[in-house]
Amino acid sequence: MDADVIVVGAGLAGLVAASELADAGRRVILVEQEPEASIGGQAFWSFGGLFLVDSPEQRRLRIKDSHALAWQDWEGTAAFDRPEDHWPRQWAKAYVDFAAGEKRSWLHGKGIRFFPVVGWAERGGYGAVGHGNSVPRFHIVWGTGPAIVAPFERRVREAVREGRLELRFRHQVDGLTLTGGAVDGVRGTVLEPSDVARGERSSRAGVGEFELRAQAVIVTSGGIGGNHDLIRKNWPARLGTPPEHMLSGVPAHVDGRMLGISEDAGANLINRDRMWHYVEGIENHSPVWPSHGIRILPGPSSMWFDARGKRLPVPLYPGFDTLGTLEHLRGTGYDHSWFVLTQKIIEREFALSGSEQNPDFTGKDLRLTFKRALPGAPGPVQAFLDRGADFVQATNLDELVSKMNALTGDELLSAADIRTEILARDREITNPYTKDMQITALRGARGYLGDKLVRVAPPHRLLDRKAGPLIAVRLHVISRKTLGGLQTDLSGRVLRADGEPLPGLYAAGEASGFGGGGVHGYRSLEGTFLGGCLFSGRQAGRAAAAAV
């Protein structure tokens, strides 16, 4: 045997699993097809949001959360309804236990700290037992994604120095080896060296072959977010037709290869039609990977119009229901939609997803962070206003709509129709009473101290010149997460189609649907993808260590 356990994929789940194995004294080989510069995978690029329940940060902001409320929200959001949802449901229960229990203290012990204001993502809007977070739960790690990766990467590198762990970059797994029906290793191609920067597309030219043996293999290779052909192949009919034009929220190497390889070895891949893609994507003015998009994390005040200028229905407001909005927009026949807002709104309510788009949080720079409270858009947002292909500005509505039509090269939008919607909304905003549920929602949001301080602009008329200029943002579908995956039990053991474990094979992270083959069911509450990698990587690493 070359090692006790082989881990395939050096993203967050793989690093967590490998660190747990090293802590248990096991010999580990961690193989990764990308260059060393990309260690940490997608987690490194993330904003660093984590789902926590009844945390000190929540309590300081007078947020009353509980395990029961969190589980109510998870069940209403996941909507588990398939026979194969048995294990995903078990994983969901275990994950909510983790989020309401030792998750924060475990991370705190590794040096991870949190920004004091808790975000309110996926607000729902359908009723108490429906989709969405009843309270704010999105805890931003101080240092964003890199700070989450750091303690696990550090432990892995310590294990390398101790002689317990080998890092083998540019090793692309092409197959799992089996003996007597049990997985006992991997085989593949050694790729030529590459000095591309983190996230850039690397060469697939081979310079050799390899085969490694171990008592167990843990697959932590990620999902399919960079493979648009596979996304379209698996696209569910319930979400309409897949978009012809789509941005990528993840690097090209997130291609789903290991899912098919594992399936060929006998693994059961379930819920492949469940996926998570955003509708607030904008083209990156400084792309790193092909079709590189950035997601806007919007506050609730912008008006949202489809490609023909029709306002989106209740409760499809910014930040309320990602997949409900995606489903609605896919029925319009167009691949884009629009935010219309003011300078006053963009200064307070626009955040951008990604560690590189938040240099203040990522760099743990308090002085730069405090500048968010000053007049003017944050620097990264201003860069998109100045250079972004999807942003237009104007001093009046006629000019704005003309620029919107020019941007798309058609005349789909009527200034008169959009003016009618905005004027009606503005009449409501000047009255303490309203039938416009978006206005009710944004006023309700400002009842939460965190939103009032840093996230939601004071209500105002969009056509108030003092709040201008007017801004329109063209929005695209941006690929992100695979919600289905390799079916696993609570130990992370991969199951066959008959429900029995495939001996020797484990999975964690996005490759396992973040646990069980789909811990989120149909929808996510947000802050649960990084957390799912942490929890499932820990579970699989500990279970494999105990088994070998």
Side-chain angles (χ1 to χ4, degrees):
M1 292 288 179
D2 298 291
D4 295 320
V5 181
I6 296 166
V7 179
V8 182
L12 180 59
L15 294 175
V16 173
S19 65
E20 291 288 341
L21 288 159
D23 286 344
R26 303 297 181 264
R27 295 181 302 116
V28 184
I29 296 176
L30 178 55
V31 297
E32 167 61 54
Q33 67 181 4
E34 294 307 302
E36 188 169 358
S38 286
I39 192 169
Q42 298 174 61
F44 186 93
W45 295 99
S46 75
F47 192 26
L50 289 174
F51 176 94
L52 295 173
V53 178
D54 193 25
S55 69
E57 290 78 16
Q58 287 175 303
R59 293 194 293 272
R60 291 188 197 108
L61 292 166
R62 302 192 293 274
I63 299 167
K64 295 182 179 180
D65 201 4
S66 67
H67 180 283
L69 185 60
W71 179 241
Q72 172 182 300
D73 289 348
W74 197 291
E75 278 197 300
T77 295
F80 295 122
D81 64 355
R82 297 174 177 175
E84 57 267 36
D85 282 333
H86 169 75
W87 284 112
R89 184 181 174 86
Q90 299 307 307
W91 272 91
K93 289 180 177 179
Y95 182 73
V96 173
D97 290 347
F98 179 58
E102 65 172 314
K103 180 180 179 181
R104 186 183 182 280
S105 61
W106 179 63
L107 293 173
H108 197 271
K110 296 182 180 298
I112 291 174
R113 300 293 184 267
F114 296 95
F115 187 65
V117 178
V118 182
W120 197 350
E122 288 296 296
R123 303 183 188 216
Y126 297 98
V129 297
H131 166 65
N133 284 294
S134 298
V135 298
R137 297 192 178 104
F138 192 78
H139 294 67
I140 301 169
V141 168
W142 187 234
T144 69
I148 297 177
V149 171
F152 302 101
E153 180 184 351
R154 185 165 55 248
R155 179 66 188 101
V156 163
R157 294 195 183 279
E158 287 173 357
V160 171
R161 291 192 293 272
E162 294 165 357
R164 293 181 184 174
L165 192 148
E166 294 180 49
L167 287 169
R168 298 199 183 186
F169 296 99
R170 304 301 284 157
H171 280 57
Q172 175 185 277
V173 174
D174 299 323
L176 298 172
T177 61
L178 293 92
T179 300
V183 173
D184 61 0
V186 298
R187 58 175 177 80
T189 303
V190 179
L191 303 175
E192 67 179 0
S194 174
D195 60 359
V196 300
R198 178 185 294 275
E200 293 181 351
R201 189 194 291 273
S202 63
S203 167
R204 289 294 176 266
V207 295
E209 297 178 347
F210 72 93
E211 188 164 329
L212 299 168
R213 299 281 177 172
Q215 296 180 65
V217 174
I218 305 178
V219 175
T220 59
S221 54
I224 68 173
N227 187 337
H228 289 190
D229 289 339
L230 193 53
I231 289 172
R232 293 186 179 99
K233 178 181 178 181
N234 292 336
W235 191 274
R238 65 180 176 276
L239 293 180
T241 58
E244 295 181 12
H245 171 73
M246 182 164 41
L247 300 178
S248 282
V250 297
H253 65 256
V254 186
D255 57 11
R257 286 185 75 253
M258 276 305 300
L259 297 177
I261 289 168
S262 300
E263 195 173 21
D264 290 343
N268 193 27
L269 180 62
I270 63 172
N271 296 320
R272 65 186 80 206
D273 65 318
R274 292 179 181 170
M275 51 187 71
W276 186 258
H277 307 301
Y278 295 109
V279 284
E280 308 101 335
I282 51 176
E283 295 181 17
N284 194 342
H285 55 72
S286 303
V288 176
W289 54 78
S291 301
H292 188 173
I294 298 295
R295 186 208 171 193
I296 297 169
L297 302 173
S301 297
S302 298
M303 293 190 74
W304 204 335
F305 296 92
D306 68 18
R308 286 193 169 275
K310 294 183 179 180
R311 189 180 179 190
L312 269 58
V314 176
L316 305 183
Y317 313 132
F320 277 67
D321 180 6
T322 292
L323 288 196
T325 307
L326 176 61
E327 178 183 354
H328 175 80
L329 291 174
R330 293 313 309 142
T332 67
Y334 295 90
D335 289 347
H336 71 277
S337 61
W338 294 95
F339 279 162
V340 173
L341 60 152
T342 63
Q343 178 70 24
K344 192 172 182 179
I345 291 172
I346 206 169
E347 289 180 2
R348 178 66 68 90
E349 297 196 8
F350 265 39
L352 301 172
S353 183
S355 55
E356 83 285 8
Q357 299 296 330
N358 295 276
D360 48 357
F361 283 29
T362 301
K364 301 182 181 181
D365 188 326
L366 285 172
R367 181 176 296 180
L368 193 57
T369 300
F370 287 142
K371 286 185 177 180
R372 291 188 181 224
L374 300 176
V381 175
Q382 187 61 50
F384 275 93
L385 276 169
D386 295 339
R387 302 164 55 195
D390 297 306
F391 288 71
V392 295
Q393 303 176 63
T395 57
N396 63 75
L397 189 59
D398 287 330
E399 179 188 5
L400 186 76
V401 174
S402 177
K403 288 183 175 181
M404 293 163 73
N405 282 328
L407 188 60
T408 60
D410 52 39
E411 295 292 328
L412 292 176
L413 300 172
S414 161
D417 291 345
I418 292 178
R419 179 178 287 104
T420 297
E421 287 282 4
I422 292 177
L423 285 174
R425 180 259 187 206
D426 281 1
R427 291 187 194 102
E428 300 272 324
I429 208 79
T430 60
N431 197 310
Y433 310 103
T434 181
K435 65 181 179 183
D436 189 312
M437 295 307 296
Q438 184 175 5
I439 295 174
T440 298
L442 69 91
R443 287 174 176 163
R446 284 179 60 83
Y448 163 48
L449 181 61
D451 275 352
K452 186 173 184 177
L453 288 174
V454 300
R455 193 70 175 111
V456 181
H460 61 275
R461 293 181 295 110
L462 293 189
L463 297 183
D464 183 350
R465 288 185 176 274
K466 291 183 291 185
L470 288 167
I471 299 167
V473 186
R474 178 178 56 180
L475 306 171
H476 311 266
V477 176
I478 178 171
S479 67
R480 189 58 63 90
K481 295 299 180 186
T482 310
L483 297 188
L486 301 173
Q487 189 177 32
T488 61
D489 64 14
L490 281 175
S491 295
R493 296 184 300 176
V494 174
L495 305 180
R496 302 183 307 225
D498 63 3
E500 294 299 314
L502 177 56
L505 188 62
Y506 297 74
E510 193 172 352
S512 68
F514 303 95
V519 69
H520 297 96
Y522 287 94
R523 281 178 163 91
S524 167
L525 287 171
E526 291 286 24
T528 55
F529 299 131
L530 290 173
C533 289
L534 292 167
F535 184 56
S536 63
R538 192 178 81 154
Q539 291 286 97
R542 291 181 178 182
V548 300

